[in-house]
Amino acid sequence: MIVEKNTPIPMSDGSHLMCNVFRPPVAGHYPVIMSFGVYGKDVHFEDGFHPQWQKLKAVYPEIDQGDSSGEYLRWEVPDPERWVPDGFVLVVVDSRGSGMSPGYLDLYSPRETQDYYEAIEWAGVQSWSNGKVGLSGISYLAIKQWQVAALQPPHLAAMIPWEGAVDHYRDLLRHGGILSNSFTQAWWPRQILVNQHGNGQTTHIDRQTQGITTGEPLPVEQLKGNRADYPAEIAKRFLWDAWFSDHTAKLERITVPLLSAANWGGAGIHLRGNFCGYSGSGSAEKWLFAHIGTHYESFYLPHYVAIQKRFFNHYLRGEENGWPTEPRVQLAIRRVDGTAVLRKTSDWPIPGTQWQKWYLDSNALTLSSSAIPTDGRITYDCLGDGVTFKSTPLPQEAEFTGNVKLKLFVSSATTDLDVFAVLRCFDPQGVEVHFIGAHEVVPVACGWLRASHRKLDLDRSREYLPYHCHDESQKLVPHQVYELDIEILPTSLVFPKGYQLAITIMGRDFNLNPQGRILHNDPQDRPIDEFGGAGTIFTGGEYQSYLLMPLIG
């Protein structure tokens, strides 16, 4: 394998980005796989993300043995030693202002996306390229794929956005209108600032050169001036605006073949966007995969690498391997023991889905398949543990796979209310079923909505999938009843006979992960005087609150 480190890619504004090129030793024209991001093209996976590395090694000890020495393994980037021998060129790019690429660091920005476009076009005309470029990578590197594909680079031939958000507001930063602050607070210093170009205090060392991975050190004040303050931009924006629009991919403009890979346990970043990206993109040739496990293990395991190679072999080198005949939607149907069985189907939602209403009864705290004739109400602490509604033990096995919606009638003692909706499963002994998520242990599914953001876009909403405008704040009149349609993220689980379906409605993040990555506890976004009162849920009679579940026959 030929390794060319710190190869400059010229940009149209006179600047340049630095990339590493990994290519076969034999001269020729090869398909290109490109990854573009902010985590440092020269930071080894183990050095930058040691806890995740240990988890990956436990699941896949061969990751740095046998076919790969692991020397060039990077976080959320394909392993060159597993791709180049099969006749691919890998190009790993430090985005502007990160790693070895100088310039102004502006995360997810239109300029950064334009840079990606120009990097694709550069790779498409190199002497070692066959003119077809595919995109690969997880999370940030997947989000950038959605963004740049909407610009339609001529040399872009296919893409695999693996667990990456699309909508900067709804998928990533303000779930249901509620600020998701904890991830950004930790992520910004640990993964962004440490990799900023010119950061002489970085702890990351290039294993090949023994130098720091961020180039020549710059003064601290200059470093501050060389970056946009991403957390501050988020904190000052409560509604959907032009900034969020500029940072969100225009899905209808995407026409390139794509394989969108979602993680059922990826609430907050690694789930919703991949389903919306699949459904909303303009591509005629597109596939949706949904898998289990952590997001990094699923990307690197041989089974998943083989799928990625088969997809790229067809679209980047024209290999007739039967890929176009693969069913468009392939889902890991989860079981309560943590395993899954693959289902291949033609569309999403799954054709033939039976949308089943489970009515909330606040008098008995139950879920019922029949409407509740008697009015009821229950009051709870709007910043507390809330209330749980359970079905009776299921008389037979039932699979729920699809989108979920909670219709809720509520009032608040104050002028606003944050609803945290948690879909749950309990075994016959009353023990809750949990799952390994993208980063942490998760329940069946989660959803969120700020009551003042209840306004729906009726053209984009579906009965099973409400779409909120988030373009104005409609404050509540205390103690007046309001109707909410709450999106709960897509999910899949086979409930065995005797298990119970449950929905918890609460006023804070679910306590499985008190130190979790995706939390919503910023005191400035959720001041106690406005969000800390008493909330009331109304059920039965004229207020038929219900949970809409996707039953698969």
Side-chain angles (χ1 to χ4, degrees):
M1 177 168 79
I2 295 173
V3 180
E4 298 171 328
K5 289 176 67 72
N6 292 320
T7 299
I9 304 176
M11 297 286 106
S12 58
D13 65 351
S15 62
H16 66 275
L17 305 183
M18 302 300 279
C19 71
N20 292 343
V21 179
F22 305 87
R23 54 190 179 91
V26 178
H29 301 292
Y30 299 99
V32 179
I33 307 295
M34 179 173 284
S35 295
F36 179 105
V38 292
Y39 298 142
K41 64 180 177 57
D42 300 308
V43 180
H44 195 279
F45 191 140
E46 183 179 14
D47 299 339
F49 298 86
H50 189 73
Q52 292 87 347
W53 174 259
Q54 294 301 317
K55 292 179 182 178
L56 178 56
K57 282 284 290 179
V59 174
Y60 182 28
E62 300 83 9
I63 184 69
D64 58 351
Q65 303 169 15
D67 293 338
S68 173
S69 69
E71 182 177 2
Y72 297 102
L73 277 164
R74 303 291 184 259
W75 174 249
E76 301 183 337
V77 173
D79 178 7
E81 291 183 273
R82 284 188 166 81
W83 284 82
V84 174
D86 284 348
F88 292 94
V89 173
L90 257 65
V91 179
V92 184
V93 186
D94 278 338
S95 65
R96 186 181 297 235
S98 70
M100 299 297 289
S101 294
Y104 187 69
L105 179 63
D106 194 0
L107 305 185
Y108 303 111
S109 66
R111 176 67 250 186
E112 187 185 64
T113 306
Q114 178 63 30
D115 287 347
Y116 201 175
Y117 176 108
E118 294 178 19
I120 292 168
E121 291 308 289
W122 171 85
V125 297
Q126 296 306 299
S127 60
W128 32 256
S129 172
N130 72 350
K132 294 183 180 293
V133 179
L135 308 181
S136 181
I138 311 173
S139 194
Y140 194 106
L141 293 83
I143 296 170
K144 292 307 302 183
Q145 291 182 52
W146 294 113
Q147 289 180 317
V148 75
L151 300 185
Q152 302 179 355
H155 287 96
L156 178 58
M159 59 188 263
I160 303 181
W162 200 275
E163 298 187 30
V166 169
D167 190 313
H168 219 67
Y169 191 103
R170 296 165 181 82
D171 298 346
L172 193 61
L173 298 177
R174 298 200 68 96
H175 304 133
I178 310 168
L179 176 63
S180 176
N181 56 296
S182 63
F183 175 73
T184 302
Q185 287 174 344
W187 173 74
W188 176 249
R190 294 178 188 173
Q191 294 177 234
I192 303 302
L193 298 187
V194 72
N195 285 309
Q196 184 182 357
H197 178 75
N199 183 359
Q201 302 302 311
T202 184
T203 56
H204 296 321
I205 303 298
D206 186 327
R207 289 189 178 187
Q208 284 77 50
T209 67
Q210 298 306 307
I212 61 173
T213 60
T214 51
E216 290 295 321
L218 297 173
V220 172
E221 290 304 312
Q222 189 174 356
L223 282 176
K224 291 181 179 178
N226 280 0
R227 63 180 182 250
D229 192 340
Y230 186 70
E233 289 289 346
I234 299 164
K236 70 183 182 183
R237 301 176 186 282
F238 298 93
L239 301 175
W240 174 264
D241 60 13
W243 186 86
F244 279 111
S245 179
D246 284 347
H247 288 66
T248 295
K250 308 302 185 285
L251 291 175
E252 67 279 2
R253 290 183 49 79
I254 297 176
T255 58
V256 69
L258 64 89
L259 192 168
S260 178
N263 188 322
W264 290 126
I269 299 177
H270 302 296
L271 175 60
R272 184 184 188 275
N274 285 95
F275 280 87
C276 294
Y278 168 78
S279 299
S281 69
S283 302
E285 299 174 87
K286 56 184 178 180
W287 283 261
L288 172 66
F289 279 28
H291 54 262
I292 61 174
T294 66
H295 79 280
Y296 40 90
E297 77 184 51
S298 64
F299 184 72
Y300 291 102
L301 289 173
H303 167 70
Y304 293 103
V305 173
I307 292 172
Q308 296 165 43
K309 286 181 178 178
R310 186 175 169 214
F311 175 81
F312 279 140
N313 275 329
H314 177 74
Y315 286 108
L316 302 187
R317 63 170 109 243
E319 185 176 293
E320 295 298 331
N321 55 19
W323 179 269
T325 65
E326 281 289 336
R328 294 299 179 96
V329 176
Q330 303 193 16
L331 311 170
I333 307 302
R334 295 189 297 185
R335 300 277 177 169
V336 294
D337 62 358
T339 63
V341 177
L342 184 66
R343 170 180 291 119
K344 298 184 178 184
T345 185
S346 60
D347 204 356
W348 179 265
I350 295 174
T353 298
Q354 302 169 41
W355 299 103
Q356 190 178 74
K357 291 181 180 179
W358 291 77
Y359 294 90
L360 281 62
D361 184 346
S362 60
N363 294 312
L365 293 183
T366 57
L367 293 172
S368 172
S369 58
S370 301
I372 309 299
T374 306
D375 291 346
R377 67 181 66 182
I378 187 167
T379 299
Y380 67 100
D381 177 359
C382 288
L383 292 178
D385 293 339
V387 58
T388 298
F389 299 82
K390 285 186 178 182
S391 72
T392 57
L394 297 181
Q396 60 188 21
E397 181 180 273
E399 179 194 334
F400 298 106
T401 299
N403 299 99
V404 179
K405 185 186 82 169
L406 176 63
K407 168 80 75 174
L408 207 60
F409 292 91
V410 300
S411 70
S412 173
T414 67
T415 58
D416 216 334
L417 174 74
D418 283 346
V419 176
F420 293 73
V422 186
L423 194 66
R424 306 168 73 182
C425 172
F426 291 89
D427 72 13
Q429 288 72 46
V431 178
E432 185 171 3
V433 177
H434 299 148
F435 302 91
I436 295 173
H439 292 283
E440 55 201 2
V441 178
V442 295
V444 178
C446 296
W448 309 266
L449 183 63
R450 176 158 290 175
S452 60
H453 287 230
R454 63 192 177 277
K455 176 183 171 183
L456 291 171
D457 182 331
L458 297 180
D459 290 334
R460 300 185 67 171
S461 293
R462 300 292 179 266
E463 172 60 21
Y464 57 84
L465 182 59
Y467 188 91
H468 297 92
C469 300
H470 297 296
D471 59 358
E472 63 175 310
S473 180
Q474 300 176 331
K475 294 298 184 180
L476 311 183
V477 175
H479 306 296
Q480 182 171 315
V481 180
Y482 292 90
E483 180 179 358
L484 308 181
D485 290 278
I486 301 165
E487 175 190 2
I488 296 178
L489 299 186
T491 192
S492 175
L493 181 62
V494 175
F495 283 68
K497 177 182 178 180
Y499 279 60
Q500 291 174 281
L501 170 69
I503 183 74
T504 294
I505 299 160
M506 57 196 305
R508 59 168 182 78
D509 291 293
F510 194 48
N511 61 9
L512 274 181
N513 307 295
Q515 304 299 322
R517 292 166 60 91
I518 309 300
L519 299 179
H520 311 74
N521 54 15
D522 187 299
Q524 293 182 322
D525 184 66
R526 306 184 68 216
I528 292 178
D529 60 346
E530 187 168 22
F531 293 92
T536 301
I537 300 168
F538 295 82
T539 66
E542 63 176 315
Y543 298 120
Q544 294 291 338
S545 295
Y546 63 82
L547 181 67
L548 186 68
M549 293 294 293
L551 179 67
I552 305 301

